[in-house]
Amino acid sequence: MFKIGDKAKGFKFNGGTDGVHYDNEMDDYVGVVGEVAEIYSDSFVIMFPDHLEWMYPASLWNLAKVEETQPFKIGDRVKFKKSSIDSGMIDAT
């Protein structure tokens, strides 16, 4: 599940899921990333960059999850493959 401040994205769901109503205006926020602002036992609220908030069913939290992948961090050692030198694209392990 989430904690307040986690990144989450809007998604479409069937109205009435966990008692949460789906408003057609929520369509504009499908895939848009915001922050979890409130958490309840059956729902959670995402605040979007324009400060609009929408409520989503807690049972579908996995649809709002944002995977933050950072393949490298400062200080990591990487080994560039020959193919990256030839192509100009970074290809490293």
Side-chain angles (χ1 to χ4, degrees):
M1 188 62 177
F2 292 114
K3 61 183 182 303
I4 292 176
D6 282 352
K7 292 192 183 303
K9 63 184 173 190
F11 61 91
K12 193 166 186 134
F13 61 94
N14 291 328
T17 304
D18 293 345
V20 179
H21 173 74
Y22 187 87
D23 189 305
N24 289 334
E25 291 180 33
M26 295 170 81
D27 287 348
D28 294 338
Y29 294 87
V30 172
V32 176
V33 176
E35 287 188 0
V36 176
E38 299 174 47
I39 300 172
Y40 303 101
S41 60
D42 59 351
S43 60
F44 60 95
V45 175
I46 300 175
M47 180 186 293
F48 292 97
D50 62 0
H51 299 285
L52 190 65
E53 296 180 342
W54 290 109
M55 183 174 283
Y56 294 87
S59 64
L60 301 177
W61 72 272
N62 59 309
L63 298 177
K65 186 174 170 92
V66 174
E67 297 290 333
E68 292 191 43
T69 58
Q70 295 180 345
F72 307 112
K73 57 186 180 295
I74 294 173
D76 283 352
R77 291 178 179 232
V78 297
K79 181 177 181 181
F80 290 93
K81 298 178 182 177
K82 183 176 183 333
S83 61
S84 63
I85 295 170
D86 294 340
S87 68
M89 300 293 292
I90 294 176
D91 185 12
T93 56

